[in-house]
Amino acid sequence: MVFATAVRLLGNAADAEDAAQTVFLRAFQRFDELAANPAAGGWLKTTTRNVCLNHLSRYRARWRFFSEMQGRGGDDFDPYPNGLASHVLPVVDALEQADEHDALERAVRGLPESQRVPLVLFHFEDASYQEIADALGISIGKVKTDIHRGREALRKVLSSDDATR
């Protein structure tokens, strides 16, 4: 969870490893508080997000987004409704799904940073508009606008990709 979140936000495995190491160092320093705390997972996720956002603000010029996105339906995605087939996707379906994943990943990477970061925080990190606004130091209206513009840009790119296939 920590590393995946860091990679998704930082776009670079080496930077994500550094961020994850920082998070785990902080967790180790607070081990007595976190050991029996049922909210330790939430603390890790929030700390990871904050460490990554701090890194981005310091090294904004050199970061790129790289996403390890889940399938559109998440972990519970079942391509065969009503139990009509086994849980194994046919090879053709798996290849098509991989192509869609790659197209979405490329499209997200192509977004401007101002749209990409709020979109990732909202859709992949389940942050609220208020949390995003606070983390980025912008208004809620700007967060909503940036997410909307990012979605529209993704829709245009992905629909043009579908038309060229």
Side-chain angles (χ1 to χ4, degrees):
M1 170 185 73
V2 172
F3 181 73
T5 299
V7 167
R8 195 173 283 131
L9 285 170
L10 298 175
N12 179 317
D15 290 342
E17 288 173 0
D18 291 343
Q21 185 175 8
T22 301
V23 170
F24 287 121
L25 180 61
R26 290 181 186 176
F28 178 74
Q29 291 168 341
R30 295 176 175 248
F31 183 76
D32 292 336
E33 295 173 40
L34 296 173
N37 190 339
W43 183 90
L44 283 171
K45 190 169 187 173
T46 301
T47 302
T48 303
R49 183 186 310 158
N50 291 339
V51 165
C52 291
L53 291 175
N54 287 341
H55 178 82
L56 288 175
S57 67
R58 278 183 264 141
Y59 302 102
R60 192 165 303 276
R62 63 180 199 139
W63 85 273
R64 282 185 18 241
F65 175 85
F66 178 78
S67 173
E68 295 177 357
M69 297 180 198
Q70 298 176 352
R72 288 188 180 152
D75 293 336
D76 297 331
F77 176 69
D78 185 4
Y80 301 103
N82 303 323
L84 296 176
S86 70
H87 294 292
V88 178
L89 286 171
V91 173
V92 174
D93 288 345
L95 290 174
E96 286 176 4
Q97 191 176 28
D99 286 344
E100 289 175 1
H101 179 274
D102 290 343
L104 180 60
E105 187 176 308
R106 283 190 308 274
V108 171
R109 263 189 277 150
L111 290 174
E113 180 179 317
S114 63
Q115 295 171 3
R116 183 176 50 232
V117 172
L119 195 70
V120 168
L121 289 173
F122 185 77
H123 287 290
F124 298 104
E125 301 305 320
D126 298 323
S128 69
Y129 291 135
Q130 185 64 53
E131 290 171 333
I132 297 168
D134 292 344
L136 299 177
I138 58 177
S139 70
I140 291 177
K142 176 143 176 56
V143 169
K144 290 179 180 180
T145 300
D146 289 343
I147 290 173
H148 174 74
R149 288 180 180 164
R151 287 177 185 153
E152 289 300 312
L154 288 176
R155 187 174 291 121
K156 286 178 186 176
V157 169
L158 294 174
S159 66
S160 69
D161 284 352
D162 287 342
T164 59
R165 288 185 196 181

